[in-house]
Amino acid sequence: MTRPPARPRRADALRNYERLLAAATDAFAEHGPQAPLDDIARAAGVGNATLYRHFPTRQALLEAVFHDHIQRLCHRAEELASAPQSAAALMSWLKDVAAQGSAAHGLAASLMAAMEGPEDSWCRKAVSDAAAALLARAQEAGEIRIDVTVRQLLKLVNAIALATEADPKPEEADRLLDILLNGLRTPSGRRAGA
Amino acid sequence: MTRPPARPRRADALRNYERLLAAATDAFAEHGPQAPLDDIARAAGVGNATLYRHFPTRQALLEAVFHDHIQRLCHRAEELASAPQSAAALMSWLKDVAAQGSAAHGLAASLMAAMEGPEDSWCRKAVSDAAAALLARAQEAGEIRIDVTVRQLLKLVNAIALATEADPKPEEADRLLDILLNGLRTPSGRRAGA
DNA sequence: ACCTGAACACCGTTCAAGT
DNA sequence: ACCTGAACACCGTTCAAGT
């Protein structure tokens, strides 16, 4: 499995790594996921080739920047896995994903890319597994349509996050997500809380 | 209102314009909406600056290439405006949009960009108006949730088209769209055909 | 091992010169 | 008016030289 980026052991390399990550975090937050890599290297006070050494692709840098973010989402999914109402738990988690996705510039694009990319990406696997557990439970309880796959679900949520990323109103994303969630329910399970 | 690109009157200019359009159509179909503009100019047997003269931005070129496509969708909306079942008519049209969007590489991205862009873009106005008529009728009939806006609707459809553009299976897009459409219905209108 | 600046390649945009 | 190739700017990627 494609592992998350290994942190260097040598002191100076580790220092550069951390600086790059901090600079990239700022750059992505301010200029979106397509911020120039050269600018990030310069802001970190590091040669541009050093950036490329640590993070071979832009996607690798994005995943590193959002690593904690993604871990938090996965952790949240584990908590919700034992929540009493399975459908409500899934909905709640999806709202989290969408909210984070449209708040943190680049996260949604990053997740979408991971979902399209190689199946052995740690990022894709982590998020897929987290979502799969919640989805399966809600489907077994008969509350969510059985004909929905994890892949489709995550694609839809990320698509919404992407579509509303630029939007000034956060409630807009909520509205779109509500429509999606409403569509996911089985007719009989429709009355349960959102 | 931002007009669709005016065709040149002079013979040689018109010839170049047509060649560029044909080359761009091919290039977008083969390499997606980000095909290099230089390649398009070269394939058209024209200087790169000539391309830029006729189409100041990539978006302008994309909208020109998809002009007929978009017109056809709008025309289809007009036909459906008098169909007996208002909700079914809307659904049918949305399926058209999604199908075209995921089939013609760049259309979905183009429409999404238009939806984010200036309100006076002819492309945005044409598609918005077409969708608005169908949506309003279905909402007045009480079949579609009243709290959905044209903008949201088109964003969602385009988001789905974008999310499934790379996908080899067209039925995947249909499934996602079904979920969306299901979510759009009012509870009482749910039993009407898809 | 790791770092660096410079070189290279690519592509979009602009411009001076031509018809 | 319109066209053209070349120049320019930008950015990602690679490399030869340094520690």
Side-chain angles (χ1 to χ4, degrees):
Chain A
M1 172 169 71
T2 308
R3 308 294 295 116
R7 291 154 62 104
R9 306 163 225 43
R10 225 174 81 170
D12 56 345
L14 180 60
R15 210 193 35 145
N16 283 341
Y17 178 93
E18 304 282 13
R19 283 190 182 174
L20 281 167
L21 223 43
T25 304
D26 290 351
F28 290 148
E30 192 166 357
H31 302 105
Q34 310 178 5
L37 296 183
D38 269 20
D39 290 0
I40 293 175
R42 198 170 326 115
V46 156
N48 56 355
T50 301
L51 187 159
Y52 208 70
R53 158 177 296 272
H54 288 297
F55 308 99
T57 66
R58 181 182 291 274
Q59 181 68 16
L61 182 56
L62 280 166
E63 290 190 6
V65 165
F66 292 122
H67 181 256
D68 293 353
H69 246 287
I70 292 167
Q71 289 238 67
R72 233 172 295 140
L73 281 175
C74 293
H75 185 246
R76 176 88 183 118
E78 282 173 32
E79 284 175 12
L80 287 166
S82 54
Q85 301 179 25
S86 60
L90 175 64
M91 310 267 149
S92 166
W93 189 73
L94 291 177
K95 290 201 176 188
D96 265 17
V97 175
Q100 303 283 347
S102 49
H105 282 223
L107 215 203
S110 193
L111 287 178
M112 185 69 98
M115 223 52 59
E116 305 277 359
E119 264 185 67
D120 62 347
S121 136
W122 69 268
C123 171
R124 170 165 174 178
K125 186 164 169 27
V127 176
S128 291
D129 288 355
L134 289 172
L135 176 61
R137 203 163 66 100
Q139 283 176 324
E140 281 159 18
E143 301 197 73
I144 298 292
R145 296 161 63 137
I146 19 74
D147 55 358
V148 181
T149 68
V150 187
R151 204 175 128 82
Q152 290 167 348
L153 188 63
L154 290 175
K155 268 192 172 183
L156 279 171
V157 171
N158 285 323
I160 287 178
L162 271 179
T164 56
E165 211 177 37
D167 213 292
K169 313 183 161 189
E171 72 232 39
E172 180 97 346
D174 276 355
R175 299 273 22 263
L176 297 187
L177 195 57
D178 276 339
I179 292 172
L180 166 62
L181 298 184
N182 191 32
L184 288 174
R185 292 184 175 283
T186 52
S188 58
R190 192 163 308 277
R191 255 148 309 287
Chain B
M1 173 168 72
T2 307
R3 308 295 294 118
R7 291 155 60 104
R9 305 166 226 42
R10 224 173 81 170
D12 57 345
L14 180 60
R15 211 191 35 141
N16 283 340
Y17 178 93
E18 304 283 14
R19 283 191 182 175
L20 280 167
L21 222 43
T25 303
D26 290 351
F28 290 149
E30 192 166 358
H31 302 106
Q34 310 178 5
L37 297 182
D38 268 21
D39 290 1
I40 293 175
R42 198 169 328 114
V46 156
N48 55 357
T50 300
L51 188 159
Y52 208 71
R53 159 176 295 273
H54 288 297
F55 308 100
T57 66
R58 181 183 290 274
Q59 181 66 19
L61 181 56
L62 280 166
E63 291 189 6
V65 165
F66 293 122
H67 181 256
D68 293 353
H69 247 286
I70 292 169
Q71 289 238 72
R72 233 172 295 140
L73 282 175
C74 293
H75 185 247
R76 176 87 183 119
E78 282 172 33
E79 283 175 14
L80 286 166
S82 54
Q85 302 178 26
S86 60
L90 175 64
M91 310 267 149
S92 166
W93 189 73
L94 291 177
K95 290 201 177 190
D96 265 17
V97 175
Q100 303 282 350
S102 50
H105 282 224
L107 215 203
S110 192
L111 287 178
M112 184 71 97
M115 224 49 61
E116 305 279 358
E119 265 186 67
D120 62 348
S121 136
W122 68 268
C123 171
R124 170 165 175 179
K125 186 164 169 26
V127 177
S128 290
D129 288 355
L134 289 172
L135 177 61
R137 202 163 66 100
Q139 284 176 324
E140 281 160 18
E143 300 197 73
I144 299 293
R145 295 162 61 138
I146 16 76
D147 55 358
V148 182
T149 68
V150 187
R151 205 176 128 81
Q152 289 167 347
L153 189 62
L154 290 174
K155 268 194 174 185
L156 278 172
V157 171
N158 285 322
I160 287 177
L162 271 180
T164 57
E165 212 176 38
D167 214 293
K169 314 182 161 189
E171 72 231 38
E172 181 97 346
D174 277 354
R175 300 275 18 267
L176 298 187
L177 196 58
D178 276 339
I179 293 172
L180 166 62
L181 298 185
N182 191 31
L184 287 174
R185 291 184 175 284
T186 52
S188 56
R190 193 163 308 278
R191 256 149 308 288

